[in-house]
Amino acid sequence: MNPPAHVPAHRDPGLQPERTSLAWRRTLLALVVVDLLVWRSWVRAGTVPPPSGVDLTGLSALTAMAATAVLAGVVFVRGRELRRGSAAPPALLMRYAAAAVIALAGSTVAALALGR
């Protein structure tokens, strides 16, 4: 099915990349806040070593930090690409972003479960 003839192929070539870049930055800011909440949970858990020897809350905090670092890299790369043009993001970049978001969500759930 072809689009109607009156619809332009590219609606807003000037502002679309800028809006997308700003959306990526807002998403990163929200994820940094989640990361800080995970770290807060770890700090509030105390410094007493767990009986199992593995600090799961600390492990989730480190996972959250790594995921946030990966997402910051993705936002940086995607922002640089958007300044050059409005091409679709590479699939590998999106896979990294998806994996980092899943890791951050998992570490957040773990921090919430372990913080009780």
Side-chain angles (χ1 to χ4, degrees):
M1 183 171 175
N2 293 332
H6 66 280
V7 176
H10 197 64
R11 293 183 300 168
D12 194 1
L15 296 178
Q16 180 82 28
E18 184 178 342
R19 284 194 301 254
T20 304
S21 179
L22 290 173
W24 278 87
R25 289 181 190 163
R26 283 191 303 268
T27 302
L28 179 63
L29 180 63
L31 295 176
V32 166
V33 169
V34 170
D35 191 21
L36 291 175
L37 290 174
V38 170
W39 276 86
R40 179 177 172 254
S41 171
W42 183 43
V43 169
R44 291 183 73 184
T47 57
V48 177
S52 65
V54 178
D55 187 4
L56 295 177
T57 308
L59 186 62
S60 70
L62 286 176
T63 303
M65 182 180 73
T68 303
V70 169
L71 287 167
V74 167
V75 168
F76 174 75
V77 169
R78 186 62 184 144
R80 191 178 57 196
E81 289 176 351
L82 286 171
R83 281 191 290 278
R84 286 190 228 147
S86 59
L92 185 61
L93 190 67
M94 293 295 96
R95 286 186 190 128
Y96 286 149
V101 167
I102 290 170
L104 185 56
S107 64
T108 302
V109 170
L112 288 173
L114 295 170
R116 292 181 185 206

